[in-house]
Amino acid sequence: MNSAQQLQHLYWRAGFGPRPQDVAASLSPRKALRQLLNDSEKYEPLVGPALNYTDPQGMAMTDPASIKTNPVPNGMVTTPDQPAPPGAPTAPVATMRPRAVFRGGTIAAGVPRLRRAALTPEQRKMQNAGIRDAFNNMSTAWMERMATSPAQLREKMVLFWHGHFACRVRQPDAALSLHNAMRQHALGKFPDLLLAVSQEPAMLQFLNNQQNRKEHPNENFAREVMELFTLGRGNYSENDVKEAARAFTGWGYDYQNRFKFREREHDAGPKTFLGKTGNLTGEDVLTHLMAQPAAATFLVTKIYRFFVNEVPNPAHIEPLAVAFRKSGYDLADLMERLFSADWFYEPANVGTHIKSPVELLAGIRRTLNVKVDNSQPLLGYQRALGQNLFQPPNVAGWPGGRNWIDSSSLLLRLQLPAILFKNAEFAVALKQDDNDIAPNLSKAERTVRPGAGAHLPLAPLQQLLGATPAAQQPEKLSAFLLQASIRPENLQLVQQAAAQKEPAEALRATLVSLLSLPEYQLA
Amino acid sequence: MLTTRREFLRNSALASTLLLVPKFLHALDRGPGLAQLRDAVGARRLIVVQLSGGNDGLNTVIPYKNDLYYKARPTLGIKETEGILDMDKDLGLHPALKGLKGLYDQGELAVLNAVGYPNPDRSHFRSMDIWQSGSGSDQVVSTGWLGRYLDSNCPDCQRPYNALEIDDTLSLAMKGARRKGLALKTPDKFHQITQNRLLSKVSKEAAPQHQDQVDYLYKTLAETASSADYLYDKSKIYKSSVTYPNSDFGKNLKTTAELINSGVESRVYYLALSGFDTHVRQHEQQQRLFTDLGNGLAALADDLRQHDQWNNTLVLVFSEFGRRVGQNASNGTDHGTANNLFLAGGALQKKGVLNDAPDLANLDQGDLRHQVDFRSIYASVLKDWLGADDTAILGTGFERLPGLV
């Protein structure tokens, strides 16, 4: 594998693909990695007025921490469109249900922060629309970052953490705050990231730690923090879950959506957790989790599967895990080691990753410097392909790999370039059950139609092509766009497609054909 | 020239005598694949109809002789005078469900009450995820119950078109770890997409035999394209003349019947009817949706019956949850728990209302308690109707309901 191929592999895995200008710069992979790390050093939160949900009714927020003033009846997980029925019985916290009930619940699970019961149907509809807009704007702003930000590695890491710390809540502000916590610590020390995420109201709500009180522990968060965030199954006992849950009692958030330690709800008694005994706090539990060697192996394996190969190779992973632990779980250091390893550039790891819908779309935009007039249809296609940012399918995030591909998603993926750049006729209806925010949309409202207004600037590509004669251009462009070498029969198809066009259109036709090949699904 | 297969057969029969009809026409009568399908032990077809949005089961199968029902729903309760369609066990169908009542009267409908699962989740998304994956509410499973059926070495599940979803995108229910069903709106539209010049050529290229990702993509593409060809060619055999509701759901049912009556070798069909999230003005919405549902299923039954396909068809109708017992302030209902589930078909083992109405005197904080775990019904359908290994697909612990299907 030559240096140019290595460089492209790096740009695809550590970001959303190379631009023609990145290829033209022809840095050594080592230098490019340095630059990616440098460019990703700075934390810039995702912010903007369009990302905030503002309540059109100016309703007072209720204090979710106060069960007395804002009763959450037992057996009633409040879902988006579900106001508390008037006179609903108030259950004692004692009967709050166990983890099982809430696992995978939505933002509103148990905590109606907005007085939805008091709203008229029209107001509720307006509220739903406002929430939906905020989420849509958050998604498009993030996609824009992925496509354009020089901090490519940070963007890719945030996407990874977004699936790792999967969380599905109804409140845009809570979801955005969690996102920015992950953005901030994405390349820092993992224990800082873990603590920050664990104290985010969105996560505390999603995993029901808001309901975790001394007398009536809720184990959901304690379980997931071990099973999904740090150790993986088999590295702790049911008793560890129980004891950890006790340590996290009192962790909650206030009406301003800030972390709040409610001391009176905290169980300060002695606990024994993974062999350690004492009056452990939630922070102690997280620290002790990080002292487990299993944590480094678990985390590095998950990172390896996302960035290198779905099939983990223990011979690659163990040394990384040892170094990761030794560094105090320094993520930037880990990623630098991973992307510098010789095995990272082995053929078995190149062009073998099925792009997620987000990677596919952000990749097309980035590598071709595409400008988009309207990102809403893009968001629609992303959803039709199965990846709705801020709405992971469940606590385990997106399963990835071949799960992205079925007959209809593959056809849509292969048609996508034609839809984007030629406004090809293609409408796809999203399913009704795709979301909880606006579940009763009509079919027309759920239908995504072309019209993103995607502009494909040819100048950077022409620069990349330089003096390449027209006949060799398809091959040169395929080397830029595809990680695998193009099949002769496909090259012929691409050439034929271009040959039918006016010279001015030939380049565009070549690009659309190359982007429509199965190989382009891989990075 | 469009002659329906039925007309063709009738004309052939008239032209000769039935005995003289060449052998291949006997085969055509059932479709070569389906002949095999029907003759094989336990080999039948399943149609799943998903009511998306959480249908209010209490206003579907109405406990109209129970005062508690009217007490909880002073204005939303359906009154007997509105034309409730009487069934067994003091229950009646919503007046708009005449189509289902017809099936009930013919002994082709089974009603199961209070179907649900422990620790119910009231999020549409999550609860649908649970129903489609066949998981518990405390489990996360990334394959669907019908997808795992496709995975389960069943001989009639090898090809993607053996399980069809009539929609633009494929549901989790239809995705297995190794095999997945196929989503199509109509055979024509699906075929048209694969006729894209580049796509049609690339799809004919062979996948290299490395079992890697690029192979997988080429294999999926080739299977998709050949399935599209098969379905397009096959579906030309029969065009339905039965009247279906003029709605998206009606059209999808018609497509389903046309595929079945054309002899398409599919074991599973999946359809959705959406719009059941009735927090406000439930009356109007349910009236419209139920007309669609009842008339649609009645038309489907008619269509299949005319072609001797109704006896080997089982329809399962479910929703991700029911609604709360009490009505809300907007003449609607909010998210609840257990719900009724319908089975329909020409060869049902058990007919009518199969278990007691939900106990309105014994609620869980205003919600119904479930009597039947939906996975027990899945297990029965998988094992007793489709002849599959239910425990391999669903795990253990779900007792089949003896003699259900």
Side-chain angles (χ1 to χ4, degrees):
Chain A
M1 168 172 277
N2 64 38
S3 167
Q5 287 167 317
Q6 292 190 1
L7 192 68
Q8 276 174 245
H9 177 52
L10 176 68
Y11 278 120
W12 266 116
R13 297 298 178 90
F16 296 90
R19 298 165 303 168
Q21 50 269 49
D22 297 324
V23 174
S26 69
L27 299 175
S28 71
R30 186 164 295 276
K31 274 199 177 142
L33 174 57
R34 242 313 89 222
Q35 196 185 319
L36 279 166
L37 284 160
N38 286 342
D39 288 345
S40 298
E41 249 174 28
K42 201 170 150 222
Y43 157 62
E44 284 179 65
L46 196 66
V47 284
L51 314 189
N52 300 332
Y53 167 72
T54 34
D55 184 356
Q57 282 88 37
M59 284 175 304
M61 296 285 230
T62 51
D63 181 358
S66 162
I67 203 97
K68 290 183 197 77
T69 57
N70 185 24
V72 180
N74 175 46
M76 212 205 86
V77 180
T78 311
T79 40
D81 286 319
Q82 180 183 22
T90 307
V93 189
T95 49
M96 276 297 175
R97 287 163 305 155
R99 159 198 193 249
V101 188
F102 291 98
R103 183 166 172 162
T106 60
I107 173 68
V111 188
R113 284 179 69 245
L114 308 173
R115 291 184 191 278
R116 294 184 59 73
L119 300 186
T120 66
E122 287 69 28
Q123 285 173 319
R124 201 171 302 142
K125 214 172 162 182
M126 235 160 96
Q127 189 184 65
N128 285 346
I131 289 172
R132 199 175 62 216
D133 286 349
F135 270 111
N136 283 349
N137 294 338
M138 282 157 61
S139 293
T140 51
W142 185 11
M143 287 296 286
E144 184 74 24
R145 284 263 182 111
M146 293 185 216
T148 60
S149 167
Q152 285 284 290
L153 178 57
R154 187 175 292 266
E155 295 305 325
K156 200 64 177 276
M157 292 301 294
V158 180
L159 183 60
F160 170 76
W161 294 124
H162 189 66
H164 183 79
F165 294 112
C167 181
R168 201 179 163 107
V169 291
R170 183 173 154 82
Q171 289 167 274
D173 52 347
L176 187 61
S177 172
L178 172 65
H179 171 92
N180 279 325
M182 293 192 261
R183 180 170 283 282
Q184 182 175 2
H185 299 285
L187 282 162
K189 297 277 174 105
F190 181 78
D192 298 338
L193 173 63
L194 179 65
L195 179 64
V197 163
S198 302
Q199 296 192 335
E200 277 293 325
M203 194 57 86
L204 291 164
Q205 181 172 12
F206 185 55
L207 298 180
N208 314 104
N209 214 70
Q210 189 73 358
Q211 290 93 21
N212 189 11
R213 290 144 198 272
K214 183 161 60 181
E215 280 81 25
H216 327 284
N218 183 306
E219 297 170 3
N220 199 10
F221 175 72
R223 184 181 302 275
E224 303 306 12
V225 84
M226 287 187 267
E227 179 181 328
L228 296 171
F229 299 168
T230 59
L231 297 183
R233 279 190 196 189
N235 293 307
Y236 54 89
S237 68
E238 276 304 301
N239 203 49
D240 292 322
V241 173
K242 287 199 173 72
E243 294 290 277
R246 291 178 58 215
F248 288 117
T249 47
W251 280 32
Y253 53 92
D254 62 18
Y255 63 97
Q256 284 175 304
N257 245 351
R258 287 176 314 206
F259 175 75
K260 186 178 180 181
F261 178 63
R262 293 165 292 167
E263 201 165 355
R264 280 188 309 172
E265 312 287 356
H266 179 68
D267 179 347
K271 310 155 189 97
T272 300
F273 174 68
L274 288 166
K276 189 183 164 96
T277 303
N279 297 346
L280 305 175
T281 64
E283 287 88 343
D284 292 336
V285 164
L286 295 183
T287 306
H288 196 49
L289 280 171
M290 290 289 90
Q292 309 292 312
T297 308
F298 175 77
L299 288 164
V300 173
T301 304
K302 197 150 178 201
I303 284 175
Y304 185 94
R305 295 187 60 175
F306 186 89
F307 288 93
V308 185
N309 199 314
E310 255 192 272
V311 184
N313 184 335
H316 299 163
I317 287 168
E318 248 343 281
L320 280 184
V322 170
F324 187 38
R325 218 181 143 202
K326 226 174 177 171
S327 72
Y329 296 95
D330 186 321
L331 289 160
D333 181 69
L334 171 70
M335 299 318 285
E336 186 168 6
R337 283 170 195 272
L338 183 148
F339 292 127
S340 337
D342 288 342
W343 44 252
F344 176 71
Y345 299 95
E346 279 169 9
N349 296 326
V350 179
T352 52
H353 166 80
I354 295 179
K355 290 172 191 169
S356 74
V358 162
E359 289 171 318
L360 179 72
L361 276 151
I364 291 176
R365 291 176 66 179
R366 175 151 190 94
T367 53
L368 297 172
N369 297 287
V370 173
K371 299 275 173 298
V372 177
D373 297 334
N374 176 12
S375 3
Q376 294 300 320
L378 294 187
L379 220 52
Y381 289 120
Q382 210 170 294
R383 280 175 196 157
L385 293 174
Q387 195 173 26
N388 193 357
L389 291 174
F390 297 98
Q391 308 282 304
N394 51 52
V395 280
W398 291 275
R402 292 185 185 182
N403 286 289
W404 294 125
I405 305 294
D406 60 65
S407 293
S408 40
S409 70
L410 183 59
L411 286 183
L412 176 54
R413 278 169 173 253
L414 299 177
Q415 299 274 88
L416 203 53
I419 297 167
L420 290 182
F421 299 118
K422 305 201 296 200
N423 266 342
E425 202 46 54
F426 195 101
V428 51
L430 301 173
K431 288 194 191 299
Q432 154 120 21
D433 49 317
D434 261 347
N435 72 80
D436 271 312
I437 295 163
N440 243 14
L441 294 178
S442 70
K443 183 159 181 263
E445 289 171 303
R446 285 183 279 121
T447 300
V448 189
R449 294 179 191 285
H455 305 283
L456 180 54
L458 298 179
L461 292 155
Q462 273 153 347
Q463 215 158 4
L464 179 78
L465 290 168
T468 312
Q472 266 98 66
Q473 287 185 359
E475 198 167 3
K476 176 126 192 182
L477 288 172
S478 82
F480 168 60
L481 289 172
L482 309 178
Q483 295 303 94
S485 53
I486 190 165
R487 297 173 170 212
E489 57 265 47
N490 283 344
L491 184 59
Q492 219 180 337
L493 287 174
V494 173
Q495 283 163 333
Q496 281 168 6
Q500 292 167 352
K501 303 282 176 193
E502 298 290 309
E505 275 301 300
L507 181 55
R508 195 179 297 273
T510 303
L511 289 166
V512 171
S513 305
L514 286 168
L515 296 174
S516 308
L517 292 175
E519 282 84 349
Y520 191 72
Q521 306 309 313
L522 301 170
Chain B
M1 191 191 74
L2 267 182
T3 314
T4 67
R5 187 173 61 97
R6 197 175 163 74
E7 279 165 356
F8 176 52
L9 290 175
R10 199 186 297 126
N11 295 342
S12 308
L14 288 173
S16 55
T17 70
L18 201 58
L19 285 170
L20 293 177
V21 175
K23 252 186 179 161
F24 79 91
L25 279 184
H26 281 301
L28 183 65
D29 186 21
R30 298 194 257 174
L34 274 190
Q36 218 180 359
L37 194 78
R38 185 159 50 186
D39 296 345
V41 180
R44 297 137 178 175
R45 168 190 318 117
L46 172 69
I47 302 176
V48 176
V49 175
Q50 169 182 304
L51 308 182
S52 304
N55 177 38
D56 177 20
L58 278 178
N59 272 19
T60 310
V61 176
I62 304 162
Y64 67 100
K65 295 195 175 157
N66 189 336
D67 292 343
L68 291 173
Y69 165 72
Y70 291 104
K71 215 170 146 190
R73 301 180 163 199
T75 57
L76 197 66
I78 312 277
K79 288 168 196 66
E80 216 174 333
T81 52
E82 292 176 62
I84 290 177
L85 307 164
D86 187 35
M87 294 191 298
D88 218 2
K89 293 195 166 69
D90 292 343
L91 292 166
L93 285 170
H94 186 284
L97 285 169
K98 292 187 184 67
L100 283 191
K101 179 62 160 63
L103 294 176
Y104 173 85
D105 290 339
Q106 292 175 70
E108 297 182 336
L109 184 78
V111 180
L112 282 133
N113 290 301
V115 181
Y117 54 90
N119 298 320
D121 196 300
R122 289 158 184 80
S123 146
H124 293 289
F125 184 86
R126 178 60 189 150
S127 196
M128 194 57 93
D129 202 44
I130 289 164
W131 274 87
Q132 291 202 4
S133 64
S135 77
S137 59
D138 59 344
Q139 291 171 310
V140 174
V141 175
S142 58
T143 54
W145 73 287
L146 296 167
R148 293 195 301 280
Y149 162 67
L150 300 178
D151 279 343
S152 70
N153 288 325
C154 97
D156 302 313
C157 302
Q158 316 266 353
R159 304 192 171 274
Y161 58 75
N162 291 142
L164 298 176
E165 177 159 3
I166 313 301
D167 205 344
D168 281 339
T169 57
L170 194 68
S171 291
L172 172 67
M174 303 282 274
K175 295 181 187 173
R178 288 178 296 111
R179 291 187 188 146
K180 295 177 176 74
L182 197 146
L184 77 163
K185 203 60 188 152
T186 66
D188 291 9
K189 188 183 166 195
F190 187 57
H191 184 252
Q192 195 200 330
I193 298 169
T194 61
Q195 290 310 293
N196 164 309
R197 201 191 60 86
L198 186 75
L199 242 165
S200 65
K201 290 197 169 139
V202 173
S203 66
K204 290 190 180 70
E205 291 176 19
Q209 297 300 310
H210 305 299
Q211 299 299 312
D212 59 12
Q213 305 291 39
V214 77
D215 279 23
Y216 176 72
L217 295 173
Y218 273 93
K219 186 168 163 279
T220 305
L221 183 59
E223 283 178 352
T224 304
S226 69
S227 297
D229 287 347
Y230 167 83
L231 292 168
Y232 179 69
D233 288 344
K234 200 83 182 178
S235 66
K236 283 190 274 190
I237 295 173
Y238 172 74
K239 295 290 171 207
S240 174
S241 51
V242 172
T243 307
Y244 285 84
N246 184 24
S247 63
D248 199 45
F249 180 66
K251 286 176 194 142
N252 292 345
L253 282 173
K254 189 173 180 184
T255 301
T256 304
E258 289 181 342
L259 289 165
I260 291 171
N261 286 338
S262 295
V264 164
E265 296 167 62
S266 301
R267 301 296 306 273
V268 176
Y269 292 83
Y270 203 94
L271 299 97
L273 172 57
S274 16
F276 285 95
D277 198 27
T278 50
H279 292 279
V280 294
R281 293 184 290 274
Q282 178 171 299
H283 260 311
E284 297 95 304
Q285 294 182 67
Q286 268 196 336
Q287 179 73 28
R288 175 177 52 83
L289 292 163
F290 284 165
T291 307
D292 239 19
L293 178 69
N295 294 351
L297 290 180
L300 176 85
D302 258 2
D303 213 342
L304 297 185
R305 208 178 281 124
Q306 286 177 26
H307 298 266
D308 292 334
Q309 297 301 335
W310 184 230
N311 281 351
N312 51 19
T313 299
L314 177 70
V315 183
L316 184 160
V317 185
F318 81 97
S319 191
E320 73 265 34
F321 45 63
R323 317 292 291 188
R324 290 181 72 82
V325 174
Q327 68 179 65
N328 67 18
S330 324
N331 273 322
T333 48
D334 300 321
H335 300 185
T337 52
N339 205 352
N340 33 55
L341 180 150
F342 296 105
L343 294 171
L348 281 185
Q349 298 288 305
K350 288 204 170 157
K351 297 142 196 182
V353 183
L354 302 190
N355 60 344
D356 287 337
D359 186 352
L360 298 183
N362 177 19
L363 300 178
D364 177 7
Q365 301 292 325
D367 274 318
L368 301 180
R369 296 175 194 275
H370 79 277
Q371 298 172 25
V372 182
D373 193 303
F374 72 101
R375 290 162 292 183
S376 287
I377 300 170
Y378 284 2
S380 311
V381 168
L382 287 167
K383 178 80 173 181
D384 300 336
W385 183 257
L386 294 173
D389 181 348
D390 58 316
T391 50
I393 294 165
L394 297 170
T396 50
F398 309 108
E399 289 283 322
R400 299 207 305 280
L401 307 172
L404 181 68
V405 287

